[in-house]
Amino acid sequence: MSSVKNRTVEKEADEIDLGRLVGELIDHRKLIISVTALFTLIALLYALFATPIYQADALLQVEQKQGNAILNSLSQMLPDSQPQSAPEIALLQSRMILGKTVDDLNLQAKIEQSYFPLLGKGWARLVGEKKGILVVSRLYLSSDSNTEIPKLKLKVKDANNYIVTFNDHEFEGKVGVLLDSNGISLKVDSIEAKPGTEFVISYVSKLQAITDLQEIFSVADQGKDTGILSLSLTGPDPLLLEKTLNSISNNYLAQNVARQAAQDAKSLEFLNQQLPKVRNDLDIAEDKLNQYRRQKDSVDLSLEAKSVLEQIVNVDNQLNELTFRESEISQLYTKEHPTYKALMEKRKTLQDEKAKLNERVSAMPKTQQDILQLSRDVDSGQAVYMQLLNRQQELNIAKSSAIGNVRIIDDAVSQPKPVKPKKIIIVLVGIVLGGMISIGIVLLRIFLRRGIESPEQLEELGINVYASIPISETFANKTLQNTKLRRKAGSEYQSFLAVDNPADLAIEAIRGLRTSLHFAMMEARNNVLMISGASPNAGKTFVSSNLAAIIAQTGKKVLFIDTDMRKGYTHKLFNLSNDNGLSDVLSGKIEVSKAIKKVSSAGFDYISRGMVPPNPAELLMHRRLGELITLVSQSYDIVILDTPPILAVTDAAIIGNYVGTTLLIARFEQNTTKEIEVSFKRFEQSGVIVKGCILNGVVKKASSYYSYGYSHYGYSYTDKN
C-alpha cells in the first residue's frame, strides 16, 4: 500500500487568506518599495523635464437674432434641439477661419530650437537658459515626396548672419534678405539667439497646419442660449498662443461682418439697377399726363374722380409695401406660417378693393377715365420711386455701419502658470502606478509559485514531516539573494556548520530531527539511515553530514558514507582526501577498513565517494554493497548514507533495499509537492518504504506568520545581561 494518501482537501472557492496576502506583501516589501520608488523617480523626472504647456483664453459674444417667441420656447422644450451657438462653434473651428489664421501668421513654418535629446530642453529650462527667438516671414521648401515633410537646419552665426543646411548643401543668409536658391525660399526678419544656436525649420502643408491647429483649439459654450463662447488654445509658446487666438477672433469677427453686409450689398446692387428704370417710367408718365392736358385744354378731375384717384394710389402704395414685407417674411417663415397667411389675406383684401375702384372708374366719362389713369400712373410712380429711394438710403447706411452680431469681450491672454504638466498629480500617479505594478508582480509570483511553502502541504498528501529546518543564519542573506539561481553543489555551504556554529537555528532543528529519528528507527531492520531527495541542491549533504556530527556528539559511534559516486563533494567539505573511497571498495580494489577515514573535528568516521567510476549503478548492484552495509552496521551505532536524488538517477533506489530507514529532503520553495509525491512512488516501485520527509531551507516569512500552522519553528537564543 502506498504511504502517500490522496486526500481531497475541501476549500471554499471564495475564501481569501488576507493574512497570508498581507504577509506576502510584507515579505516583498523591498521589491514593492524599489518598484514604487523607480516609478516615482520617473514621474518626478518627467514632471521636471517635460515641456510646460500654456493656455490662452478669449471670450466672444454672439447676439442671437430675434425670432418667433413661440418657436423659441418650443425649441427649448425639445430634447434633441440643437443649441443656437452650435453653428457658430462649427464656424470657428472651420478651415475657412483657421486657414485665414494660418496664412496671416505663417503657421506652415514650424521652428524648433535644437537641444540634447530627451533631457536637453528640460535642462535648459531648469538652468534658466533663455530660449532663442527666430522670426521667419517667408518660407518655402521644395520636396520630391508628398509624404515627407521638408526640413532645413539653420545655425546662427551672429545677430545678422546665419548658415542654412538643406539637402546636404550649405547656404549663407542675412537677416531681412530673401534667400532664394536650390529649392529654398527663406526670409528671416530677426534673430535673438546666441551664436552657434541651431534651429530646425520644417514646412508643412496648409491642411496639416490647420489640422494641428484644430487639435489644440477648443470652443465651449458658457451656457445654453447665452451666446457667450469661450475660446482656448494650448501650446508651449504663450506669445504665439495669444497672437494666434487673437487672429482667430478677429477673422471670425471680420467674416461675420462681411456676412451681415453681403445681404445689404446684394439688395443695394439690385436697387441701383432698378432706380433709373423707375425714374424713367415716372418721367414718361408725367410727360403723357402733361401732353394729354394740353390737348384737352387743361381738363381737370372732378371731385369724385379725385377721391377715387386718392383711394387707388393709396391701395397701390399699400400693395407695394406688402411686396417689400413679403420679401422679408419669406426668408423667415414658410407659406404655412400664420404671419405669412395674414399677409396674403391682407393682399387679397387690397386687391379686391382695387378691383371695386376700377369698376367705379369704368363708369366715368371717357375723358375723366383717361385723366384718372394718367394721374394714377404718375402718383403711383412717384410713390414707388420714393420708397425705393428711401430703401436705397437705408441700405447704404446699413452697409456702411455693419458691425455684425459678434462682439469680442475679452482679448486673448495666456495664463502665467502652465496647465500641463500637473506635477503633483504626475508624481501621485507615478506612486500609485508603481505600487499597483509592484503588487501585481508580487501576486503574479505568488500565482506562479509551485514550491513547498509549509509542512502542511506535505502532510495533506499523507507524508510525515520529521523536521522543518530553517535556513542557516550564517548564509541567510546569500540564500535570499539567490533564490532563483542554480548554483554548483557544495557552493552553498563552504564550511561545516555543526562545528563552526553549533548554536545556529539549522543545527537546533537537526537536533530535533535526531530525537525524531530515535523513535522512527526503533522498529527498523537495521541501523542504517539513507537520506535522499527529489532534485539536486535540496540540502541532502548538509542535513546528513550535520546529523552525523550531532549524533556523534552524543557519544555514539557514527559512520558517514558518501554514496554519490557521480558528484559527491563531502571530501571537500571535510578537507579530506578522496582516495580509497566507496568506488574502490565496491570494485574490490581495497578493503573496507582502508576506506574508513576519521573526521576529527566532528568525531565520526567517513567513507568518501572515491574516484568517479564509469558504471556507478552496476557497482551499487554488486553484492559487495550488501556486505559493506552488513559489516559497518555491526560495527557502528548508526550508519548514514548520503545518496543522489531519486528523480535524477536510480542509485538511491538500489541502495534503499539494504537500509532500514529512508528519508527524503524537500527544499523550501524549490521542490514541489508533485516532485516529492513522484519520488515516494519511485521508491515504492523499487520496494523501498520511505519513512517521511525533511523540509530544508525554510525561510521565516511574514506570510507564514500571518497564516495558520507551524510558523516554521522559528526561535533563536539571545544573550541577556
Side-chain angles (χ1 to χ4, degrees):
M1 182 181 294
S2 175
S3 62
V4 182
K5 300 178 182 179
N6 295 324
R7 299 180 180 180
T8 304
V9 181
E10 297 181 357
K11 295 184 178 180
E12 296 183 4
D14 298 334
E15 183 181 356
I16 300 176
D17 195 347
L18 294 178
R20 183 176 179 84
L21 181 60
V22 172
E24 290 287 352
L25 296 179
I26 296 174
D27 292 331
H28 293 84
R29 58 186 179 276
K30 293 183 178 179
L31 173 64
I32 296 174
I33 294 173
S34 301
V35 174
T36 305
L38 176 62
F39 275 81
T40 305
L41 179 62
I42 294 173
L44 185 60
L45 290 176
Y46 176 78
L48 291 175
F49 287 91
T51 303
I53 302 299
Y54 296 88
Q55 180 175 326
D57 300 313
L59 208 61
L60 299 180
Q61 181 185 15
V62 182
E63 297 176 354
Q64 306 294 339
K65 294 182 179 180
Q66 299 295 328
N68 189 277
I70 299 176
L71 292 179
N72 291 337
S73 61
L74 288 175
S75 63
Q76 294 177 1
M77 295 173 61
L78 296 175
D80 298 332
S81 62
Q82 191 180 28
Q84 297 182 6
S85 59
E88 306 299 332
I89 294 175
L91 186 60
L92 276 165
Q93 296 175 332
S94 65
R95 290 194 295 270
M96 177 184 70
I97 301 297
L98 300 183
K100 183 68 166 56
T101 299
V102 170
D103 294 336
D104 294 342
L105 301 179
N106 193 23
L107 297 181
Q108 290 182 250
K110 303 290 186 180
I111 305 173
E112 295 181 358
Q113 186 174 344
S114 298
Y115 294 97
F116 187 80
L118 295 177
L119 304 178
K121 191 174 183 179
W123 178 255
R125 188 184 68 257
L126 291 176
V127 298
E129 183 178 338
K130 187 178 180 181
K131 184 179 179 182
I133 300 175
L134 183 68
V135 180
V136 177
S137 60
R138 176 177 174 81
L139 175 66
Y140 176 76
L141 303 177
S142 62
S143 178
D144 299 333
S145 176
N146 295 327
T147 58
E148 185 178 357
I149 300 175
K151 298 181 179 179
L152 64 82
K153 290 184 178 180
L154 187 147
K155 186 176 182 180
V156 179
K157 293 178 66 177
D158 51 49
N160 296 317
N161 298 280
Y162 57 88
I163 299 175
V164 173
T165 304
F166 182 68
N167 291 335
D168 298 329
H169 297 285
E170 287 190 357
F171 310 93
E172 292 188 0
K174 292 185 177 182
V175 175
V177 179
L178 179 64
L179 177 62
D180 195 353
S181 175
N182 293 339
I184 298 177
S185 182
L186 174 66
K187 184 180 180 183
V188 178
D189 290 344
S190 65
I191 297 177
E192 296 182 12
K194 296 180 180 179
T197 304
E198 294 185 356
F199 294 90
V200 177
I201 305 175
S202 58
Y203 184 79
V204 300
S205 63
K206 185 176 181 179
L207 180 60
Q208 183 62 43
I210 293 173
T211 303
D212 295 341
L213 190 56
Q214 287 175 336
E215 291 178 354
I216 61 175
F217 177 61
S218 62
V219 185
D221 198 348
Q222 292 291 87
K224 183 177 177 63
D225 299 332
T226 60
I228 305 296
L229 300 179
S230 176
L231 281 61
S232 61
L233 197 64
T234 57
D237 191 349
L239 297 178
L240 182 60
L241 292 178
E242 292 182 7
K243 292 171 58 178
T244 305
L245 195 56
N246 281 327
S247 177
I248 294 173
S249 302
N250 293 327
N251 290 334
Y252 174 67
L253 177 62
Q255 70 83 27
N256 183 266
V257 174
R259 182 176 58 177
Q260 293 292 326
Q263 183 178 359
D264 296 338
K266 291 289 186 182
S267 302
L268 189 60
E269 182 182 357
F270 176 75
L271 289 179
N272 291 333
Q273 294 176 357
Q274 294 297 320
L275 271 173
K277 296 179 181 179
V278 175
R279 181 64 187 176
N280 187 39
D281 293 339
L282 177 59
D283 292 341
I284 293 173
E286 289 178 347
D287 291 341
K288 287 182 178 180
L289 177 61
N290 293 331
Q291 186 178 2
Y292 187 82
R293 283 180 172 175
R294 285 195 299 269
Q295 290 177 358
K296 302 296 183 181
D297 295 331
S298 301
V299 178
D300 294 328
L301 294 174
S302 62
L303 294 176
E304 182 184 358
K306 287 183 180 179
S307 176
V308 172
L309 177 60
E310 291 177 359
Q311 294 179 24
I312 291 175
V313 172
N314 186 27
V315 171
D316 288 338
N317 292 338
Q318 292 185 36
L319 287 173
N320 292 330
E321 292 178 359
L322 287 180
T323 303
F324 285 114
R325 180 64 177 163
E326 183 182 359
S327 64
E328 296 177 355
I329 290 180
S330 62
Q331 299 177 5
L332 301 175
Y333 310 111
T334 63
K335 292 184 179 181
E336 302 298 326
H337 198 271
T339 303
Y340 199 93
K341 286 184 176 181
L343 183 67
M344 298 307 294
E345 291 177 359
K346 187 175 181 180
R347 175 189 285 277
K348 187 176 181 302
T349 302
L350 291 175
Q351 288 176 349
D352 293 341
E353 186 177 351
K354 184 178 179 180
K356 293 178 181 179
L357 292 172
N358 288 333
E359 290 177 0
R360 292 178 62 182
V361 172
S362 301
M364 294 181 181
K366 175 90 171 44
T367 304
Q368 292 292 320
Q369 290 184 20
D370 294 339
I371 292 292
L372 186 63
Q373 181 67 38
L374 293 173
S375 298
R376 186 188 69 177
D377 293 341
V378 172
D379 294 342
S380 298
Q382 289 177 348
V384 171
Y385 182 76
M386 292 303 297
Q387 288 180 354
L388 293 179
L389 192 62
N390 292 333
R391 185 63 176 166
Q392 184 188 37
Q393 293 176 353
E394 291 175 0
L395 291 175
N396 280 323
I397 295 172
K399 181 183 178 183
S400 61
S401 61
I403 60 173
N405 61 335
V406 174
R407 181 174 60 160
I408 299 177
I409 300 176
D410 293 335
D411 292 328
V413 175
S414 295
Q415 301 295 329
K417 294 183 179 180
V419 295
K420 295 178 182 179
K422 303 285 188 183
K423 297 182 179 180
I424 297 177
I425 295 177
I426 290 175
V427 172
L428 291 177
V429 169
I431 295 173
V432 173
L433 187 61
M436 293 176 60
I437 292 177
S438 60
I439 292 174
I441 295 173
V442 173
L443 295 178
L444 183 63
R445 293 179 65 175
I446 295 173
F447 178 75
L448 297 177
R449 186 186 299 162
R450 292 292 182 266
I452 300 172
E453 297 178 348
S454 64
E456 295 93 322
Q457 295 176 264
L458 296 172
E459 293 181 351
E460 289 175 354
L461 298 175
I463 300 174
N464 295 323
V465 180
Y466 279 84
S468 183
I469 302 175
I471 194 73
S472 171
E473 293 178 347
T474 307
F475 309 103
N477 296 331
K478 185 178 180 180
T479 303
L480 291 174
Q481 293 173 359
N482 299 278
T483 54
K484 291 186 176 181
L485 298 179
R486 290 184 177 272
R487 293 161 291 179
K488 294 182 179 180
S491 63
E492 184 176 348
Y493 303 105
Q494 296 295 335
S495 61
F496 197 19
L497 191 61
V499 177
D500 296 342
N501 188 12
D504 194 277
L505 285 178
I507 302 301
E508 293 295 333
I510 294 176
R511 290 192 179 98
L513 173 64
R514 176 198 63 189
T515 304
S516 301
L517 286 176
H518 174 75
F519 297 99
M521 298 179 65
M522 291 180 64
E523 299 179 356
R525 61 179 178 175
N526 56 31
N527 58 349
V528 181
L529 171 65
M530 183 183 75
I531 295 179
S532 183
S535 63
N537 298 326
K540 300 178 297 294
T541 301
F542 170 76
V543 174
S544 57
S545 60
N546 285 283
L547 179 62
I550 289 172
I551 296 176
Q553 290 174 0
T554 61
K556 292 185 178 182
K557 194 175 181 181
V558 182
L559 176 66
F560 179 83
I561 304 176
D562 188 358
T563 59
D564 188 356
M565 292 183 289
R566 305 171 191 266
K567 295 183 179 181
Y569 64 93
T570 53
H571 58 282
K572 298 179 181 179
L573 182 65
F574 302 146
N575 292 322
L576 298 175
S577 173
N578 193 31
D579 299 331
N580 299 329
L582 179 63
S583 61
D584 300 313
V585 174
L586 296 181
S587 59
K589 295 180 179 180
I590 61 172
E591 298 292 332
V592 177
S593 59
K594 295 181 179 181
I596 298 176
K597 305 178 180 64
K598 184 72 175 180
V599 182
S600 56
S601 61
F604 61 84
D605 295 340
Y606 164 66
I607 298 177
S608 64
R609 65 173 173 84
M611 302 302 295
V612 179
N615 53 349
E618 284 76 6
L619 286 180
L620 292 174
M621 287 187 292
H622 199 274
R623 59 179 179 81
R624 292 191 186 95
L625 178 61
E627 295 174 356
L628 170 64
I629 291 176
T630 302
L631 179 63
V632 296
S633 64
Q634 295 174 357
S635 304
Y636 292 89
D637 295 328
I638 186 170
V639 179
I640 300 175
L641 306 180
D642 181 17
T643 62
I646 184 64
L647 296 184
V649 293
T650 58
D651 296 2
I654 300 172
I655 300 171
N657 288 281
Y658 299 98
V659 303
T661 307
T662 301
L663 294 178
L664 281 181
I665 301 292
R667 184 66 181 264
F668 181 81
E669 290 187 349
Q670 180 174 320
N671 293 122
T672 63
T673 56
K674 189 65 178 179
E675 288 178 339
I676 303 301
E677 187 178 4
V678 172
S679 301
F680 267 71
K681 292 181 178 180
R682 286 281 181 88
F683 277 114
E684 290 176 356
Q685 291 171 0
S686 303
V688 180
I689 305 300
V690 182
K691 278 286 187 179
C693 188
I694 301 169
L695 186 59
N696 183 38
V698 176
V699 179
K700 188 176 182 180
K701 291 186 171 185
S703 59
S704 303
Y705 179 81
Y706 286 103
S707 63
Y708 304 99
Y710 284 81
S711 188
H712 307 313
Y713 314 107
Y715 67 93
S716 62
Y717 294 106
T718 56
D719 295 333
K720 296 183 179 180
N721 296 327

